[in-house]
């Protein structure tokens, strides 16, 4: 999670919401990293999770990321949760909860919905205070 927090801090440089993510393969190697790039890339899909998943898929030479773990500083939104399920990620670890748009337990629970074709293990609240503080400071500064 510390590495994901570092990536989140990098997002601040581009004026993006500070969210960082990384994908670890089954052997424990980081194969994808991402930070929010929506503002920088002018791309509504450039969430940290999507950026990291894309990089991991290239590294794996496969869109299927079975056995991989995604670590992210903020609970994924519905778009990212859908991408995580489509990529067949096995485990998601996240820091701060997102009471407004979270789709892994807060508002929705897409990844653990029994109707979903792919179930994902979820570990929540890792370094939650540190992740939440980074976000709170960002939003306080822009409001």
């Amino acid at each position: 999670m510390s590495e994901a927090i570092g990536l989140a801090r990098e997002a601040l440089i581009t004026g993006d919401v500070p969210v960082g993510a990384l994908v670890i393969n089954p052997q424990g190697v980081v194969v994808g990293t991402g930070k929010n790039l929506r503002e920088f890339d002018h791309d509504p899909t450039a969430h940290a999770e999507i950026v990291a998943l894309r990089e991991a898929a290239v590294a794996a030479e496969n869109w299927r990321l079975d056995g991989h773990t995604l670590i992210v500083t903020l609970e994924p939104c519905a778009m990212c949760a859908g991408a995580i399920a489509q990529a067949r990620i096995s485990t998601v670890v996240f820091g701060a909860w997102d009471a407004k748009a979270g789709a892994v337990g807060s508002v929705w629970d897409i990844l653990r919905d029994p109707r979903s074709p792919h179930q994902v293990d979820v570990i929540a609240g890792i370094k939650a205070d540190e992740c939440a503080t980074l976000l709170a400071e960002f939003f306080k500064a822009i409001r």
Side-chain angles (χ1 to χ4, degrees):
M1 185 59 74
S2 295
E3 187 173 340
I5 291 169
L7 290 164
R9 291 185 198 287
E10 289 178 19
L12 292 168
I13 297 166
T14 62
D16 279 282
V17 176
V19 177
L22 52 109
V23 177
I24 300 172
N25 73 10
Q27 293 73 39
V29 177
V30 174
V31 293
T33 61
K35 58 184 172 271
N36 271 359
L37 293 172
R38 291 186 313 164
E39 299 296 332
F40 186 76
D41 286 350
H42 310 291
D43 179 355
T45 68
H47 288 202
E49 300 95 313
I50 302 294
V51 174
L53 287 171
R54 287 176 178 158
E55 192 173 292
V58 169
E61 297 182 343
N62 195 338
W63 63 269
R64 293 185 68 109
L65 299 174
D66 301 279
H68 288 63
T69 297
L70 174 76
I71 299 172
V72 61
T73 57
L74 179 64
E75 178 185 2
C77 70
M79 175 184 70
C80 293
I84 290 162
Q86 290 298 316
R88 308 301 195 266
I89 289 287
S90 296
T91 305
V92 170
V93 177
F94 71 86
W97 291 92
D98 186 347
K100 292 183 180 179
V104 187
S106 289
V107 180
W108 302 283
D109 200 349
I110 293 170
L111 297 180
R112 294 178 288 189
D113 188 315
R115 297 167 294 182
S116 295
H118 178 71
Q119 299 294 303
V120 179
D121 291 327
V122 175
I123 301 167
I126 305 301
K127 294 194 175 190
D129 291 341
E130 189 174 350
C131 295
T133 298
L134 187 59
L135 290 159
E137 289 172 356
F138 171 80
F139 286 113
K140 183 179 178 182
I142 65 170
R143 289 189 175 131

